[in-house]
Amino acid sequence: MIFERIAPEQHDTLDGVPEPSETPRLVGHGQAATMLASAYRSGKLPHALIFVGPVGIGKATLAFHLAHHLLKHPASEQAPEVLAVPDPASSLFRQIATGAHPSVLHLTRPPNDKTKSFKTVVTVDEIRKVSRFLSLTSHDASYRVVIVDPADDMNTNAANALLKNLEEPPARTLFILIVHAPGSLLPTIRSRCQMVRLTPLDAESLMTVLESVEPPPPDDPASRAALAKRAGGSARTAILLTQYGGLEIAETLDALATARKSDVAGAYRLAEA
C-alpha cells in the first residue's frame, strides 16, 4: 500500500512516514489514553496538558487522537471510555490531518521563506494565532484544541504570549503542549498544566510501528533486538536507523571506537556513508 501524505510538511518530516495528525493508529500509551478518555467522560479534563517524554515516542500522535476523540464525541457524558480510533476515510480525520478543521490549531516551527526551510523556533507570531483562533465561535459548540509541537521550541516572547492564553482560557478549550524536556518550559507555564508522562515504546511496539513504513524491520531476532536497543524506545530513531542505514553506520562506528588498532580505511568508509 502506497502512503499518500495529506498533512502539511513540517521541519522534522520523514519521507514516507505519516505525520502525527495523519496517523490513524496509536501504538503504545494505552494507560495514558484511557486516563484521558475517562477524564473527558467524567467532565474532569484539565484545560491544559503537557505530554512529556523522549523525542519520537508518539506524544503528538496521542494529542491528535485526543483532539479527534473530543470532536467526534462533543457530549462528554456520552463519550466512550476509550479513545475513538480515527477512520482515515472520514471527513473528520481528513480535516484534522490536512490542518483544515476549524476547531484544531496546530502550532509548530513555521516555514522560513528566506531559506526555503523552517525556522529554528516556534515564533511569537505563531502563538498569536491562538487569540484569533479562540476569538472565533466554535462552529458546533465543540471543544477547541490547541497543540503546540514541540513547546520546547518556543522562544521567550512566544512562551510569554502562550502564558497569557493559559491564564484565562475560554470554556471547552484544551491546550496540549508536546514537550521533550520539561525544564525548557517556563515554571509559570508548567504550573498551569497537568503533566502526562509518556514512556518510551517497548521493542514489540517499535516493530509494530516499523512494519507500517518502508523498509520493514529486519527479519532475524538478533537484528531486531539490536535495533530496538539502539532506538531507545523512540519510533522516530528506529525509523531513521532502518531507513538510512543508520544501524550499519552505528555498528561500524562502535567497531572503530573499540578497535585496538586505528582503521584509517574504515574511518574513510564511515565518513562516506
Side-chain angles (χ1 to χ4, degrees):
M1 182 178 175
I2 299 174
F3 166 64
E4 177 194 356
R5 185 177 308 287
I6 59 174
E9 187 171 315
Q10 298 175 37
H11 70 278
D12 58 355
T13 293
L14 296 176
D15 289 343
V17 179
E19 292 294 334
S21 64
E22 58 184 350
T23 301
R25 184 179 181 189
L26 178 68
V27 177
H29 315 306
Q31 187 174 355
T34 301
M35 179 270 289
L36 292 165
S38 177
Y40 177 59
R41 182 182 169 92
S42 62
K44 296 178 180 177
L45 190 67
H47 77 274
L49 297 165
I50 291 175
F51 288 176
V52 63
V55 174
I57 63 170
K59 300 186 297 296
T61 301
L62 176 58
F64 279 103
H65 276 239
L66 179 55
H68 173 273
H69 182 76
L70 302 187
L71 296 173
K72 185 172 183 178
H73 302 285
S76 60
E77 67 279 359
Q78 297 173 15
E81 295 181 356
V82 295
L83 288 189
V85 178
D87 175 7
S90 70
S91 60
L92 176 59
F93 176 88
R94 294 189 69 86
Q95 274 192 301
I96 293 175
T98 57
H101 199 289
S103 294
V104 180
L105 178 63
H106 181 218
L107 301 177
T108 185
R109 294 191 207 170
N112 187 329
D113 295 332
K114 292 181 181 178
T115 63
K116 304 302 179 185
S117 60
F118 291 85
K119 294 188 176 180
T120 57
V121 296
V122 177
T123 61
V124 68
D125 287 338
E126 288 300 293
I127 302 301
R128 283 178 180 146
K129 293 178 181 177
V130 175
S131 296
R132 295 195 292 271
F133 172 71
L134 296 180
S135 69
L136 302 172
T137 304
S138 177
H139 71 294
D140 58 358
S142 63
Y143 254 83
R144 285 170 296 183
V145 183
V146 177
I147 300 172
V148 185
D149 172 27
D152 310 64
D153 289 352
M154 290 188 296
N155 61 23
T156 304
N157 290 339
N160 285 323
L162 179 66
L163 182 59
K164 292 179 181 177
N165 292 120
L166 291 173
E167 286 171 343
E168 296 180 6
R172 295 181 69 75
T173 298
L174 175 64
F175 289 86
I176 307 176
L177 311 188
I178 308 302
V179 177
H180 311 315
S184 64
L185 289 182
L186 292 175
T188 42
I189 288 181
R190 292 202 304 268
S191 68
R192 285 168 171 77
C193 305
Q194 180 173 317
M195 197 168 293
V196 179
R197 295 190 178 274
L198 301 178
T199 55
L201 299 175
D202 59 30
E204 184 179 347
S205 296
L206 283 176
M207 296 308 135
T208 298
V209 173
L210 289 176
E211 282 161 2
S212 66
V213 299
E214 292 290 337
D219 290 326
D220 69 288
S223 295
R224 284 186 169 224
L227 176 59
K229 184 177 180 181
R230 286 197 181 273
S234 167
R236 180 180 179 83
T237 301
I239 290 169
L240 288 170
L241 287 170
T242 305
Q243 283 195 345
Y244 301 99
L247 196 57
E248 292 82 359
I249 291 171
E251 289 171 348
T252 305
L253 182 60
D254 281 354
L256 287 171
T258 56
R260 293 184 178 180
K261 292 166 46 175
S262 59
D263 181 359
V264 177
Y268 275 115
R269 287 195 297 273
L270 178 64
E272 287 175 1

